Amino acid sequence: MESNSSKHAKRVQIVQVKLVREKSILYKERKIRSPHDAYILMKEFIGDADREHFVVLCLDTKNQPTCIQVVHIGSLNTSIVHPREVLKSALLSNTASILVGHNHPSDTPTPSQEDIEVTERLKEAGKILGIDLLDHLIICSDSFISLKEKGYI
């Protein structure tokens, strides 16, 4: 016969959180010195995707990329992004700062209101965690826009 205390007990899982390295790409520049440098790396990583891919690029204290992750794959023209998903790999990889970016399959680099709002939320969340958001890039096939250069960061 079960006791009253075990009948109402809640099993708590013991876990371990890990960053899993799937593969790597070679970045010959070593450092991100400008939005254009980040664009080149993100463009190579995203390729010619037909849906929005939101990526986070994690950097060390010398602005060297340490990891890149697709945080969300959206529809043809939208991608719902939450700061916890963006900052998860940054926390696990001991990142100093991040750059984020997403492609616009429409090939129009103009930021949407949602793009601007996501940038602001990521900036604030990063500030709380001590991870600087350096830029948010909107990537098109032959061009990009830096939200920092446009004054949103």
Side-chain angles (χ1 to χ4, degrees):
M1 186 165 171
E2 280 188 51
S3 71
N4 241 2
S5 63
S6 65
K7 195 183 331 181
H8 297 290
K10 168 73 173 106
R11 183 165 297 277
V12 178
Q13 301 299 319
I14 299 170
V15 300
Q16 186 178 50
V17 179
K18 294 180 181 180
L19 186 69
V20 177
R21 289 167 182 84
E22 293 181 337
K23 56 185 173 180
S24 64
I25 56 176
L26 202 55
Y27 180 62
K28 55 186 178 237
E29 299 302 320
R30 291 204 54 87
K31 285 186 180 181
I32 301 292
R33 293 180 176 86
S34 68
H36 186 263
D37 288 351
Y39 163 73
I40 296 297
L41 181 54
M42 288 183 184
K43 175 72 177 127
E44 178 183 342
F45 182 68
I46 294 172
D48 294 322
D50 63 346
R51 291 177 290 157
E52 280 197 10
H53 283 59
F54 195 99
V55 301
V56 59
L57 176 61
C58 299
L59 305 171
D60 66 14
T61 56
K62 296 177 182 174
N63 280 0
Q64 296 179 114
T66 57
C67 63
I68 190 168
Q69 179 197 17
V70 174
V71 176
H72 184 76
I73 298 175
S75 64
L76 186 62
N77 62 357
T78 186
S79 177
I80 300 165
V81 177
H82 195 280
R84 98 177 134 243
E85 301 305 318
V86 174
L87 293 166
K88 197 179 290 182
S89 61
L91 286 169
L92 291 173
S93 63
N94 296 316
T95 295
S97 58
I98 60 170
L99 287 153
V100 296
H102 71 282
N103 61 321
H104 276 184
S106 66
D107 229 23
T108 306
T110 308
S112 67
Q113 188 59 40
E114 183 182 277
D115 294 338
I116 294 163
E117 290 168 5
V118 163
T119 303
E120 187 58 37
R121 284 198 316 271
L122 289 173
K123 182 178 158 188
E124 291 304 312
K127 192 182 294 181
I128 291 167
L129 296 173
I131 299 171
D132 291 331
L133 173 64
L134 300 181
D135 208 340
H136 181 171
L137 304 181
I138 297 174
I139 300 164
C140 294
S141 59
D142 296 322
S143 64
F144 74 97
I145 281 187
S146 157
L147 270 67
K148 182 173 187 171
E149 288 180 345
K150 294 289 182 189
Y152 295 110
I153 296 177

